[in-house]
Amino acid sequence: MKELSLNILDIAQNSIKANASLLEILLEETNETLRITITDNGCGMTPEILARVTDPFCTTRTTRKVGMGLPLFKMEAEQTGGNLEISSKSIADYPDSHGTKVSALFFKKHIDFTPLGDVISTVITIIQGSCDKTELIYRHIYPETGLDVKLDTRILKETLGNEVPLSEPEVLQWITEFLKENYNTNHESEENKR
């Protein structure tokens, strides 16, 4: 994929299809590295599926015979010298603590590093497509620059009440502006320090 944000969207869609009621996306960035961690409380994977999930010829989808999302994500991490770690507990084996965690480490200065891309649009797309059944916690931290952007749809829903769905165009526009402002404020703070 041309942007890591598209990988994030693909994995998030898998979480939503796995009936996750909570999806957490954490981006931890330094001048050297980017770690993307996506955690959900969906139905999880059996040990058999987990062992084969990074094989492009393994998929649980019925619409196509190959699954390229996680294999590509793994390749993109490894081509920078990083790695991909996946852990999962199936609902059948762990009825009270099921879900999946995907964590990828990228070395940003490597020539093959794929840019993060438009992560704000990714967050908006996730909210638009899943706000009725999946809560989203998004956080992007970059301690060296002071960046700390946070969004929690549970808090937004509490503030708006049940009358206004997050998928309303005006709400999505507000969330977009909120995220842009937070990214810009953090960036401007760093510029002022120089």
Side-chain angles (χ1 to χ4, degrees), residues 31-62:
N31 290 335
E32 301 288 326
T33 63
L34 171 63
R35 178 172 294 279
I36 299 172
T37 304
I38 303 166
T39 309
D40 71 48
N41 66 352
C43 64
M45 292 179 267
T46 64
E48 296 78 27
I49 293 288
L50 182 60
R52 300 179 308 136
V53 75
T54 57
D55 177 351
F57 299 104
C58 170
T59 185
T60 56
R61 293 184 183 182
T62 56

Side-chain angles (χ1 to χ4, degrees), residues 104-119:
L105 175 66
F106 300 86
F107 287 91
K108 294 168 36 179
K109 294 187 178 179
H110 194 282
I111 192 168
D112 291 325
F113 174 67
T114 304
L116 180 57
D118 188 358
V119 74

Side-chain angles (χ1 to χ4, degrees), residues 5 8 10 15 17 20 25 35 57 59 61-62 72 75 81 90 94 106 131-132 137 140 144 161 163 170 174 181 191:
S5 60
I8 294 169
D10 182 66
S15 296
K17 287 177 186 171
I25 299 171
R35 178 172 294 279
F57 299 104
T59 185
R61 293 184 183 182
T62 56
L72 280 175
M75 182 195 72
S90 73
Y94 300 90
F106 300 86
C131 66
D132 57 336
I137 299 172
H140 187 169
E144 292 163 343
E163 303 82 37
E170 296 84 7
W174 182 88
E181 183 178 314
E191 290 292 319

Side-chain angles (χ1 to χ4, degrees), residues 20-179:
S21 62
L22 182 62
L23 171 64
E24 297 180 58
I25 299 171
L26 174 62
L27 281 59
E28 299 169 284
E29 195 166 359
T30 70
N31 290 335
E32 301 288 326
T33 63
L34 171 63
R35 178 172 294 279
I36 299 172
T37 304
I38 303 166
T39 309
D40 71 48
N41 66 352
C43 64
M45 292 179 267
T46 64
E48 296 78 27
I49 293 288
L50 182 60
R52 300 179 308 136
V53 75
T54 57
D55 177 351
F57 299 104
C58 170
T59 185
T60 56
R61 293 184 183 182
T62 56
T63 55
R64 63 177 189 241
K65 301 227 186 276
V66 296
M68 296 302 290
L70 286 172
L72 280 175
F73 201 43
K74 179 182 179 189
M75 182 195 72
E76 289 166 343
E78 289 177 346
Q79 72 186 7
T80 71
N83 60 46
L84 177 75
E85 298 171 358
I86 304 172
S87 60
S88 189
K89 294 178 178 179
S90 73
I91 194 169
D93 296 330
Y94 300 90
D96 297 324
S97 62
H98 49 85
T100 302
K101 180 178 181 178
V102 176
S103 185
L105 175 66
F106 300 86
F107 287 91
K108 294 168 36 179
K109 294 187 178 179
H110 194 282
I111 192 168
D112 291 325
F113 174 67
T114 304
L116 180 57
D118 188 358
V119 74
I120 293 175
S121 290
T122 293
V123 169
I124 295 301
T125 302
I126 293 167
I127 293 170
Q128 188 174 25
S130 69
C131 66
D132 57 336
K133 66 177 192 170
T134 306
E135 300 295 352
L136 173 66
I137 299 172
Y138 170 77
R139 188 167 185 199
H140 187 169
I141 56 175
Y142 195 155
E144 292 163 343
T145 66
L147 178 73
D148 191 353
V149 175
K150 301 176 215 173
L151 179 78
D152 187 332
T153 58
R154 298 170 303 179
I155 295 171
L156 291 176
K157 286 179 179 178
E158 188 178 299
T159 303
L160 291 171
N162 293 330
E163 303 82 37
V164 183
L166 297 185
S167 59
E168 283 291 317
E170 296 84 7
V171 176
L172 292 171
Q173 183 61 39
W174 182 88
I175 295 169
T176 301
E177 295 305 319
F178 170 80
L179 289 170

